[in-house]
């Protein structure tokens, strides 16, 4: 990745310090089913670890698809 230092993790996609990621009502995490007061960027209940793992998986899938498409041409 241009401009990124080797060995450093990319910045997080969600700022979990923002109050919009908190609810006083615990609900089942959309990924693991455990109770959480946290909400993802779409206000769906999600643990921080679960949401970030899902975002990382989506990014990896997109990168793989892009790389596969590039090799087809």
């Amino acid at each position: 990745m241009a401009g990124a230092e080797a060995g450093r993790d990319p910045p997080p996609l969600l700022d979990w310090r923002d109050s919009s990621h908190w609810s006083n009502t615990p609900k089942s995490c959309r990924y693991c089913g455990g109770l959480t007061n946290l909400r993802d960027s779409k206000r769906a209940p999600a643990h921080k670890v679960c949401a970030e793992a899902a975002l990382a998986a989506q990014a990896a899938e997109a990168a793989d698809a892009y790389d596969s498409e590039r090799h087809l041409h």
Side-chain angles (χ1 to χ4, degrees), residues 18-30:
D18 187 294
S19 64
S20 68
H21 291 290
W22 179 261
S23 172
N24 289 326
T25 307
K27 291 188 178 183
S28 296
C29 174
R30 66 187 282 188

Side-chain angles (χ1 to χ4, degrees), residues 10-63:
L13 298 175
L14 298 174
D15 181 359
W16 291 93
R17 298 171 296 181
D18 187 294
S19 64
S20 68
H21 291 290
W22 179 261
S23 172
N24 289 326
T25 307
K27 291 188 178 183
S28 296
C29 174
R30 66 187 282 188
Y31 301 104
C32 75
L35 288 178
T36 182
N37 290 80
L38 294 174
R39 303 297 184 257
D40 65 13
S41 60
K42 295 182 180 182
R43 298 291 300 149
H47 293 109
K48 177 182 184 290
V49 172
C50 294
E52 289 177 351
L55 288 172
Q58 289 173 358
E61 289 172 5

